Amino acid sequence: MSFCGHAILAREIFEVTDAREDPRFHDNPLVTGAPFIRFYAGMPLYTPDGHALGTLCLLDPTPRRLEDSEQKLLADVAACVEAEINQQTLEQVRERAQQMKADFVSMVSHELRTPLTSILGALRLLASGMLGTHSPQANQMLDIAHNNSKRLAFLINDLLDMEKLAAGKMRFDMQAESLAPLIHQAVEAIVTLSRERDVTIEVYEPLPETTITVDPQRLEQVLANLLSNALKFSHTGGQVELSAERKGGIVEISVQDHGQGIPAKFQAQLFEKFTQAENIDTRTQQGTGLGLAISREIVERMGGKIGFHSVEGEGARFYFTLPVTPLPDIASAHTPPPTAIEPISTDADAAKIDNWQILVVEDDLDLPRVLKAQMGANITLEHAKSLAEARAWIALERFNVILLDIGLPDGSGWELIPEIRAYQPKARIVVLTAQGVSVTVETEVDEVLLKTWASPEALLAAIGEPQDDECKNPRGTS
């Protein structure tokens, strides 16, 4: 293929029997650079929208004209070349779009999750009463701000979870768990919404004594999606039933509501992304339309299937199946989350980290202040806003715990890990990040917590116990 200038714009084959005598080719390097060329034929190549790509050229030292068969062959070859070039261009555009999308998601992860973590933490501290009492009206405003911040966190997490699932990057921590405690834990986690909606959740007992291999957090996410949908579309004073039934080698978990049901015309696309039964301009329920799509992906990744049955006007029943693990049932060690805002740390928690030295490597200025308040203890907390500042602190001081963000102005927080291990071999490394990490990377540190997901209790648990008392020495001592 060669580019032959703007003289050739027609779609048909262009032939010149003696190119050396044609003034249009006097400056063409194909001819002037090879004076033995007499015959020239070319087929223009275009993009689908009509922009010129170039010309497929046929050159010959003998003046002549193309036979019909040669013209057809040149046209066929040109069509193939044109298609290949356009396909490669399309793939390059798609790759650029995917990279831009990944970059945008990464930016959203850091730029939204980081400040939102500070907002949630600060509101929780104020609402818990740890920083003093407030008037009833102020407490009401704090509850409104806290609940709406949690809603925003759920929306952001849904968007980022969908992107991770689509890219195959969502991590699953599969564990053998007893089913019944997981169900009760999911109900406890959504009891506040149940009270707000004035809809009761009835768990049918007894649940089968069944062990399943799942990611407990992801299973709770699925149950939360199904239960919240059932609550939102139930009538005031109504009831939602949650049940589980053993069917041979699988267990079927279902959520039944008695609300308005799902319109028949909408049912075929129910599990598609960004799908909602109501018009976006007139809808009464909130959400991204991603919950069911995420739930389907999670259930299928854990080896199950999800479905529903609904009659319009009579409610809906959502169900999903999971394979039963052929192991003895085990008691789940998970503790149900609190159903109301409670003090973030106890005296025992505070005693564990009394006089600790903690380094927070985070470019956000507000988050370290909130973290220190959340720990509720007499600690020394140093703040490094970049890799350079962190390196200086790591070489200068000894720390019990290093809380490490990944996205920093001068590089990735992962670059610090070898240096931390070299200078601070007994310090716990806790990654508190807006971006998910792979299982392989996670093994390099002691704990990974995701911003907007990590509760203060989870943060205290991740900090853990000190290795020894060395780091409790005052600064400047050995």
Side-chain angles (χ1 to χ4, degrees):
M1 187 189 77
S2 176
F3 296 90
C4 301
H6 298 288
I8 303 169
L9 295 175
R11 180 69 69 165
E12 65 273 5
I13 296 174
F14 183 89
E15 292 183 71
V16 178
T17 56
D18 194 341
R20 291 187 301 177
E21 297 178 3
D22 193 317
R24 291 173 296 180
F25 288 86
H26 287 173
D27 296 326
N28 192 306
L30 285 175
V31 176
T32 58
F36 62 88
I37 293 175
R38 303 288 295 278
F39 172 73
Y40 168 89
M43 170 64 80
L45 306 175
Y46 294 93
T47 64
D49 56 357
H51 289 83
L53 289 170
T55 305
L56 183 69
C57 300
L58 178 63
L59 308 174
D60 196 295
T62 304
R64 65 188 184 87
R65 297 194 64 82
L66 287 177
E67 302 289 340
D68 290 344
S69 60
E70 291 177 314
Q71 290 188 17
K72 183 179 185 306
L73 179 60
L74 181 60
D76 290 344
V77 172
C80 291
V81 172
E82 190 175 74
E84 179 64 23
I85 293 173
N86 288 326
Q87 180 62 31
Q88 290 181 7
T89 303
L90 182 62
E91 289 176 359
Q92 291 171 357
V93 170
R94 186 182 295 115
E95 288 174 3
R96 286 198 298 271
Q98 288 293 336
Q99 185 59 48
M100 291 173 63
K101 184 178 179 182
D103 291 343
F104 175 75
V105 170
S106 178
M107 181 274 293
V108 168
S109 296
H110 188 267
E111 299 302 327
L112 291 184
R113 272 180 162 161
T114 296
L116 188 55
T117 301
S118 297
I119 293 170
L120 283 167
L123 289 171
R124 185 185 176 103
L125 283 166
L126 290 169
S128 69
M130 288 184 63
L131 303 180
T133 58
H134 310 282
S135 68
Q137 186 178 13
N139 283 329
Q140 185 181 26
M141 294 299 102
L142 286 171
D143 287 340
I144 291 172
H146 188 251
N147 290 334
N148 280 279
S149 295
K150 288 193 295 183
R151 273 184 51 213
L152 181 57
F154 290 147
L155 295 177
I156 292 171
N157 289 333
D158 271 358
L159 289 169
L160 297 177
D161 279 349
M162 195 69 248
E163 178 62 24
K164 285 190 290 185
L165 282 166
K169 294 181 179 180
M170 178 175 282
R171 185 177 65 86
F172 285 80
D173 183 15
M174 304 294 283
Q175 303 173 24
E177 298 279 352
S178 180
L179 173 63
L182 294 176
I183 288 179
H184 287 296
Q185 180 174 326
V187 173
E188 287 295 324
I190 206 165
V191 70
T192 301
L193 180 60
S194 172
R195 292 169 181 164
E196 291 174 355
R197 296 280 177 173
D198 190 21
V199 178
T200 59
I201 301 176
E202 180 71 25
V203 180
Y204 279 90
E205 304 281 4
L207 295 171
E209 295 183 359
T210 300
T211 297
I212 53 178
T213 299
V214 294
D215 181 323
Q217 181 181 349
R218 297 303 175 189
L219 178 63
E220 182 176 333
Q221 187 176 355
V222 172
L223 287 169
N225 278 331
L226 298 184
L227 286 170
S228 63
N229 277 346
L231 292 172
K232 285 190 292 186
F233 292 101
S234 292
H235 303 299
T236 301
Q239 179 174 290
V240 169
E241 292 97 32
L242 174 59
S243 62
E245 181 181 359
R246 178 80 176 261
K247 296 182 177 181
I250 65 172
V251 62
E252 181 180 281
I253 303 165
S254 66
V255 176
Q256 171 77 57
D257 70 67
H258 304 280
Q260 62 198 49
I262 303 167
K265 63 181 181 180
F266 176 70
Q267 293 183 8
Q269 63 209 56
L270 191 60
F271 288 98
E272 299 301 319
K273 292 184 288 186
F274 301 108
T275 299
Q276 293 178 326
E278 300 175 300
N279 183 280
I280 192 67
D281 296 322
T282 60
R283 66 193 182 98
T284 59
Q285 303 299 337
Q286 301 159 341
T288 58
L290 288 172
L292 290 176
I294 292 172
S295 296
R296 180 177 65 178
E297 290 285 342
I298 290 175
V299 169
E300 291 178 353
R301 298 288 177 92
M302 295 192 299
K305 295 181 179 180
I306 191 169
F308 72 97
H309 174 74
S310 178
V311 176
E312 195 167 353
E314 298 181 10
R317 174 180 173 266
F318 283 84
Y319 58 88
F320 63 94
T321 61
L322 290 169
V324 173
T325 302
L327 294 171
D329 287 353
I330 59 174
S332 174
H334 293 281
T335 303
T339 58
I341 297 176
E342 299 175 353
I344 292 173
S345 61
T346 64
D347 291 340
D349 293 326
K352 289 179 183 178
I353 58 174
D354 192 32
N355 295 320
W356 275 31
Q357 301 282 86
I358 298 179
L359 175 65
V360 178
V361 185
E362 165 67 63
D363 58 333
D364 182 71
L365 299 179
D366 296 322
L367 187 56
R369 302 174 193 171
V370 176
L371 292 176
K372 182 172 183 178
Q374 284 183 344
M375 292 172 193
N378 181 23
I379 64 169
T380 299
L381 186 147
E382 305 295 352
H383 179 203
K385 299 181 288 296
S386 65
L387 291 178
E389 290 184 21
R391 289 187 173 105
W393 277 114
I394 291 168
L396 178 66
E397 297 285 349
R398 298 177 66 83
F399 294 97
N400 296 99
V401 180
I402 297 176
L403 289 173
L404 181 63
D405 189 20
I406 300 304
L408 296 168
D410 52 348
S412 170
W414 292 115
E415 298 176 32
L416 282 177
I417 293 176
E419 299 172 51
I420 295 172
R421 294 301 186 201
Y423 285 97
Q424 310 270 345
K426 295 183 178 181
R428 284 181 61 81
I429 303 177
V430 178
V431 171
L432 183 60
T433 179
Q435 305 166 12
V437 300
S438 67
V439 176
T440 303
V441 170
E442 189 170 340
T443 60
E444 299 179 19
V445 298
D446 295 287
E447 192 79 34
V448 174
L449 298 176
L450 193 62
K451 292 176 181 177
T452 69
W453 277 111
S455 66
E457 292 80 10
L459 180 60
L460 287 171
I463 289 174
E465 296 282 2
Q467 297 290 331
D468 54 26
D469 293 331
E470 289 181 272
C471 299
K472 292 186 179 181
N473 294 333
R475 291 174 60 181
T477 63
S478 59

